[in-house]
Amino acid sequence: MRKGALLLSIIAAAVAGVSAFGWTTIQHGFSARDNPSLIETFVARTARSLAVPAGAKRMRNPFPNTPDNLAQARAHFADHCAICHANNGSGNTDTGRNLYPKAPDMRLPRTQNLTDGELYYNIHNGIRLTGMPAWGSAEKDEGSWEVVLFIRHLPQLTPAEEREMEALNPKGPGERQEELEEEQFLNEGQPGNHSPKPSTQHHH
């Protein structure tokens, strides 16, 4: 009888807690600007860990940490990942800060303590209910292994490497237009260079 009463008390307390959490959430509203609650964080991390097959967790990166491989990995990360994760892996970008959950700081132990296989699996297959997409093809995905190599290097990233990556980051239309205007302005002052004249032709 005592065990049954205790079990009912635990179930009742859990239901009450979930109900209270649900009611508070509904009253507060849903916004991607918020940080996930402790319950959401625990459930999400547990689900992510369970989603990675045991065999995948044991996989090792086939790319050795050589200067050439690291340079290739750095360029790949700058072009594909930095828009959300930042060149230094901090997640401190306009996109990364406004995701739900926010992009993690991958320099910290929470990411660095994952196995190579876990990192690869999350990059290759994406993570549901987050902003993390699945990358690479199903058959061959060397790019995701390169990203794993670079993630391991993030705690040792140098300022010089970050500056090199900035030149490799994708540029939006506004940035490209600004660069074009600067180039045109500089070229106008060169001998033999003339500003392009507007077209007088009419097209019908």
Side-chain angles (χ1 to χ4, degrees):
M1 291 292 292
R2 286 184 179 179
K3 289 184 178 178
L6 179 60
L7 181 59
L8 287 174
S9 298
I10 293 173
I11 294 173
V15 170
V18 171
S19 299
F21 171 75
W23 176 254
T24 302
T25 301
I26 291 171
Q27 293 298 310
H28 177 69
F30 295 91
S31 172
R33 299 181 188 280
D34 295 333
N35 285 311
S37 66
L38 292 176
I39 294 175
E40 286 178 286
T41 301
F42 173 77
V43 171
R45 287 178 184 161
T46 302
R48 184 183 67 177
S49 178
L50 293 173
V52 181
K57 291 180 181 181
R58 293 191 293 268
M59 289 192 299
R60 298 292 185 90
N61 196 338
F63 285 81
N65 188 359
T66 65
D68 286 345
N69 284 343
L70 189 56
Q72 182 71 20
R74 188 166 59 243
H76 187 101
F77 190 94
D79 185 49
H80 291 77
C81 312
I83 189 170
C84 291
H85 294 285
N87 288 325
N88 62 5
S90 67
N92 189 22
T93 69
D94 288 341
T95 303
R97 287 191 301 269
N98 290 292
L99 290 173
Y100 190 87
K102 297 175 182 7
D105 187 335
M106 295 192 293
R107 300 169 296 185
L108 300 180
R110 191 168 292 143
T111 297
Q112 293 295 323
N113 288 343
L114 296 174
T115 68
D116 284 356
E118 285 176 305
L119 291 173
Y120 171 83
Y121 191 89
N122 289 332
I123 296 165
H124 180 68
N125 296 291
I127 303 175
R128 292 186 180 186
L129 304 180
T130 73
M132 181 64 193
W135 292 101
S137 65
E139 297 79 19
K140 191 175 183 181
D141 189 10
E142 295 180 349
S144 292
W145 280 120
E146 289 177 346
V147 172
V148 172
L149 183 65
F150 184 73
I151 289 173
R152 294 297 189 214
H153 179 69
L154 282 172
Q156 294 83 42
L157 190 70
T158 67
E161 288 175 314
E162 279 196 67
R163 287 193 297 272
E164 178 187 321
M165 293 174 74
E166 289 174 5
L168 302 172
N169 294 148
K171 294 180 173 59
E175 292 176 294
R176 288 195 294 269
Q177 180 63 28
E178 185 177 337
E179 288 183 352
L180 179 61
E181 290 173 357
E182 288 178 358
E183 185 178 347
Q184 290 175 339
F185 176 77
L186 294 172
N187 287 338
E188 285 175 2
Q190 300 297 321
N193 288 338
H194 302 284
S195 300
K197 296 181 180 179
S199 174
T200 57
Q201 294 180 346
H202 298 276
H203 301 280
H204 302 283

